[in-house]
Amino acid sequence: MSAQTPVCQLLERQETDYRHWWWVGPPQDGWLEGTQGTAISADVALLIYWAARGLSARSPFDEPLSAGAPAGAVLFWPKSHALGEWWLLWLCATLPPGTPLQLVGENQGGIKRVLKVLAALGLGCRKRDSARRCALYASQTARVGLDPDAVWTRFEAGGLQLASHPGVFGHGKFDDGTRLLLAQLPEILFGDIGASRRQGALQALDMGCGDGIIAAWLARRGAMVTAVDVSVFAVEAARRTLAGNGLEGDVVASDVYSALAGRRFDAIISNPPFHQQRDIDYGPAARLIGEAPEHLQSGGQLVMVANAFLPYPALLERAFGGFEILADDRRFRVYRAVKD
């Protein structure tokens, strides 16, 4: 299959034999699947997709491969510059020194910045090719004396200590949409309105948990919490956040509800993403809303926050037959829909 994305079209025309290389942070592209390489990704959806086709795929938090080092690695430079730096540190810490390393990305995505990053790490670099508004650089791994774990940070928000990683939504800050959402939850979930709909502890699902602030906020108030995210960076961050605050919860890597078959909750709380790199992608949020009734108890509720311009009212109407707006500050809206 011919490459479909600009970055893969640039790679396709190289003379390099990419068999048994690592594809690090790759896009979804059929050409990659035919190269006999291994996908290294924090995106659970991509890992599931590759595994379902019998292809080699792993997360950066998996145990090291027993089969030994790859022939080389291609790092697809991400939108987040800090995340790209983390991937570089991880590759240098994981692979033997001298392993061939290529870095590819779109000019608009900041690929040219890798020159300064590589220089700061003492890694040599040369430009191999450019086309389709993309560039490809060549280097090799080396011991750089910096631990990838050093990028983990902690910060305070809402009375909680949060763990944060460059690959997590809202890295290092308290998102305004989440702030607005949390302000609505005491009465809806723990006041007369919420308590009258259930018996016992609230069974809550934090969908798209990010750094775990919603899960930790719920757990601190006695809820039995399950936190889910498609990013393994977010899953690790949420686990660290819960542990750092002395709280308990089940944290699951899942492509929306894929790992939650048969499970039902009193409440699903979410600040869902709508970007995939620089592109708008409503797919995950549409699944979140459309499949929510299947994962709610009778009388259970979906409470979510979203940018005011996003077209979620029609999705909520279709899935639940109605909804209400709990808050609207012109930037964000908090929606609530209840399962009959």
Side-chain angles (χ1 to χ4, degrees), residues 32-58:
L32 293 175
E33 300 166 29
T35 60
Q36 301 179 39
T38 295
I40 310 293
S41 178
D43 184 344
V44 174
L46 186 140
L47 295 177
I48 291 173
Y49 179 89
W50 274 58
R53 285 154 180 77
L55 303 171
S56 178
R58 58 166 293 201

Side-chain angles (χ1 to χ4, degrees), residues 69-87:
V74 175
L75 171 57
F76 294 82
W77 195 253
K79 175 183 177 182
S80 166
H81 185 64
L83 178 56
E85 292 178 339
W86 181 87
W87 276 117

Side-chain angles (χ1 to χ4, degrees), residues 176-314:
D176 289 338
T178 299
R179 191 193 308 272
L180 184 65
L181 172 65
L182 292 179
Q184 316 310 312
L185 297 186
E187 177 62 20
I188 294 302
L189 298 184
F190 301 102
D192 292 339
I193 294 176
S196 66
R197 296 182 179 274
R198 68 177 190 277
Q199 295 180 346
L202 178 78
Q203 301 288 326
L205 171 62
D206 176 7
M207 178 58 75
C209 61
D211 56 28
I213 183 171
I214 295 174
W217 187 96
L218 292 165
R220 175 166 284 182
R221 287 156 179 80
M224 303 293 290
V225 174
T226 298
V228 164
D229 206 288
V230 73
S231 165
V232 297
F233 293 130
V235 168
E236 180 64 20
R239 286 176 178 156
R240 294 188 184 206
T241 289
L242 287 169
N245 289 278
L247 301 169
E248 294 185 356
D250 184 20
V251 188
V252 180
S254 179
D255 181 13
V256 195
Y257 299 105
S258 64
L260 301 175
R263 297 189 60 180
R264 293 179 181 270
F265 303 89
D266 298 309
I268 299 173
I269 315 298
S270 185
N271 181 355
F274 65 95
H275 278 113
Q276 180 68 25
Q277 292 286 358
R278 294 187 305 278
D279 299 325
I280 291 179
D281 180 8
Y282 300 135
R287 289 180 56 199
L288 160 69
I289 296 169
E291 298 174 27
E294 302 172 28
H295 294 277
L296 285 170
Q297 305 283 4
S298 178
Q301 52 190 320
L302 169 65
V303 185
M304 60 180 287
V305 66
N307 292 74
F309 69 85
L310 294 171
Y312 295 157

